[in-house]
Amino acid sequence: GVRADGLPIDGNDLLPVALLDERFGRDFNTLPMVRGRMPETATEIALSPLAADNLEAGIGDTVMMDLVPYPEAATDSIEDHRRPTGRFAVVGIVAVQGGFPPVNGGSPAPAFLDGSFAEANPGYAELLFVRLVPTAAPPAFVDRLQELGAPDQVVTATQAEQAVPVQRGLDVQATALRVFALLVVVLALLLVFQALRRRMADDAAEDPVWQALGLTPGELRRSRMAIGAVTAPIAAATTALTAVALSPLFPVGVGRDLEVDAGVRADGRHLIVGVLVVLLTVVVLHVVAAAGQARADVAARRPRRPARLAPLLASSTVPTTAAMGMSMAVETGRGASTVPVRSTLLSIGIGIAAIVAVLVFSSSQQHLFDDPRLYGWAWDVQVGDAFAPALDDLADDLRDDPRAEAVALATVARLTIEEQTFDALAIDADSGIVPTTTDGTAPSQPDEIMLGTRTAHRLGLAVGDRLPAEIGARTVDLTVSGIGVFPDFAGTAGLGAGVALTLDGLATLTPAPVTDTVLVSVVPGPEGQALVEELLVGQPAATYSPSQPSDLAALERLGGLPSVVAFLLALVGVFGLVGALVTSVRRRRGRMATLKAVGFTRAQVGAAVVWQAATLTLVAVVVAVPVGIATGRLLWLLFTERLGVPFEPIVPLGWVLALAGGSLVL
């Protein structure tokens, strides 16, 4: 068939399944409807979220495609794809195992037809869905299937295997949300604390009046604390109402595809915890702010030290307006004219540092998205998978093609290591194609094995260690030659998960592995791209081009969240700066009046305030930019260690310089 954008639909895009047994999807295996309904006629189809993405189709659309039995479908030309006669109405989006983005190297995205289609079109391949008794172990059942099917290849996929990439994607999204939420929380607390300090400083200016009316210092402090008793419940109630109001926006990414009811949600347990945390936080902030103001009151009664910077600037060649502005920026003042210089610098600095950290994190993330090598695609196209026949002849033909830079025969096997099962990619060691490594080297000898970064951590192994690998009754000892990254080439394999070894190494465990996969690296330029396009259509097996594993796809589907966080951080910095300037000008009205009395014009007073703002911002930028770069690199290091990909941070110097300059202009 053909997609909405004109590209062909093939076996990589979807696996249409006609349900002959009504128990599947009802009492045998639930199929929650995300939207719409299941098909009821032979011309209707329900898509999984992944199939809907692949076909760029939704409920109400008509998909033009012809469903022909495998392997005839794989031998069609691209023109056959573009002249489909079948019309299928999309009536539903259904949540099902294996139906969430992305997929590469595993089974295609499922879609569901009514059983009447299969009854009218006999001769298609058959699938068996098996539910085991509670005491049965899926690995033992799969091993028994392999024995019954020998010497033919038996292809299986378990529910647990298909859940792994979805769970990994959810974990990555949750981690990203926690990191960004932590940044926002820290800066929000800082902003609230600054507001409290300024409010208490303003109130302190009126203390002499209240004391003249008979209030003691203790009563004044208690009156300030009473403000917290009023504002804390208001803040907690606002927080809870806001969380409930924003609940339809969540979850995001893969989680949104899984959520069949994305309406307003009020989770009582979490709301109660949140309300208690906000109540306690606001009270603590009031206590800390009151204590700080009490120290400021004590300091105000001490003998005043002469200003250090103002005389120095006055004796220099700096313009008078600049000297006045710079001295106001760094001098806190006393009593009613006190200005929170330190907290203002901290607010602006943290805001700028956080934005720089987000820029570094986002740029490094985009670099990861743009370079398939970093997430395991060390080749340009993959032909075949566990469903394919032997592809030795295709590999021989491609080796003779000048557009192919390197060609490797490969296959997927399932190894048992320390009583744990792992999918293994076995590659021809002499092909010139090697997986992406983060430590050590790819296997080149039959007794070597490469572990995914997560797999190595799970097994507690490092380069140079030895491990026993099993397939059936055979066991061999292998040496860990390297740690690296793989694409999603099989059920449990993925970013940082899985193992790799040579074809000769696999032959020591299973006598005649079926070389059902061909990995191809093409020459750079249009000729190589033309070969890739030819391989993607008209092959006797499914073909795959580089696509993001579930972890990265989930991360990318967070969309513009980093930009939203950066915008919030920018607002915090702007509010901090504006608040400091407003407070400074208001509390130094007497000083401004004195300047005007001795001849300052309105423009000169304005210039002094501009110099004050520029000084505050410049000091914050000089300190905050390096801190932000270091923080962004650290966050990316933690993320890459969790993802299991190479650490290649990117510092966007252009954006950082623009941020520094823009901060000064602002």
Side-chain angles (χ1 to χ4, degrees), residues 479-495:
T479 301
V480 179
S481 65
I483 310 294
V485 187
F486 305 106
D488 290 343
F489 64 81
T492 61
L495 199 65

Side-chain angles (χ1 to χ4, degrees), residues 275-450:
V275 165
L276 293 176
V277 168
V278 172
L279 283 171
L280 180 62
T281 301
V282 174
V283 171
V284 169
L285 287 177
H286 271 83
V287 171
V288 175
Q293 185 58 44
R295 289 194 299 270
D297 293 341
V298 172
R301 292 191 290 269
R302 294 173 182 167
R304 183 173 183 176
R305 291 181 298 178
R308 299 176 182 177
L309 183 62
L312 181 63
L313 293 174
S315 61
S316 67
T317 58
V318 175
T320 305
T321 53
M324 293 301 303
M326 286 188 280
S327 63
M328 287 192 298
V330 299
E331 293 177 2
T332 59
R334 292 173 61 85
S337 63
T338 301
V339 178
V341 172
R342 297 185 187 89
S343 61
T344 301
L345 282 173
L346 188 63
S347 174
I348 301 172
I350 291 181
I352 293 174
I355 297 172
V356 171
V358 170
L359 288 174
V360 172
F361 185 93
S362 300
S363 299
S364 303
Q365 175 182 282
Q366 192 60 49
H367 176 59
L368 175 61
F369 292 156
D370 295 340
D371 190 349
R373 172 188 58 85
L374 294 177
Y375 52 84
W377 275 94
W379 44 88
D380 296 306
V381 65
Q382 171 187 328
V383 181
D385 51 27
F387 294 91
L391 299 176
D392 300 66
D393 293 340
L394 175 63
D396 291 337
D397 293 340
L398 288 171
R399 290 189 185 101
D400 296 332
D401 193 320
R403 297 173 296 177
E405 192 171 63
V407 178
L409 269 171
T411 190
V412 176
R414 185 154 291 179
L415 305 183
T416 300
I417 302 173
E418 297 183 1
E419 299 183 353
Q420 300 182 59
T421 302
F422 299 96
D423 283 310
L425 181 64
I427 305 176
D428 180 6
D430 299 324
S431 63
I433 291 181
V434 295
T436 301
T437 57
T438 58
D439 187 20
T441 60
S444 59
Q445 302 299 322
D447 63 343
E448 292 181 340
I449 189 171
M450 171 180 159

Side-chain angles (χ1 to χ4, degrees), residues 169-179 558 642:
L170 293 174
D171 289 344
V172 170
Q173 286 185 334
T175 301
L177 289 171
R178 291 187 187 105
V179 170
L558 288 175
R642 180 175 179 82

Side-chain angles (χ1 to χ4, degrees), residues 223-278:
S223 69
R224 291 169 187 166
M225 292 302 303
I227 299 175
V230 176
T231 57
I234 296 175
T238 303
T239 300
L241 292 175
T242 303
V244 173
L246 295 180
S247 62
L249 302 179
F250 295 91
V252 295
V254 176
R256 197 162 190 83
D257 293 330
L258 291 163
E259 180 59 68
V260 295
D261 179 16
V264 176
R265 184 70 57 85
D267 188 323
R269 182 179 59 181
H270 289 91
L271 284 176
I272 291 173
V273 173
V275 165
L276 293 176
V277 168
V278 172

Side-chain angles (χ1 to χ4, degrees), residues 189-212:
L189 291 176
L190 178 63
L191 187 62
V192 171
F193 180 71
Q194 273 194 301
L196 290 174
R197 282 297 308 273
R198 291 194 184 108
R199 171 61 187 270
M200 291 187 179
D202 288 341
D203 292 344
E206 300 176 359
D207 283 356
V209 177
W210 292 111
Q211 289 175 345

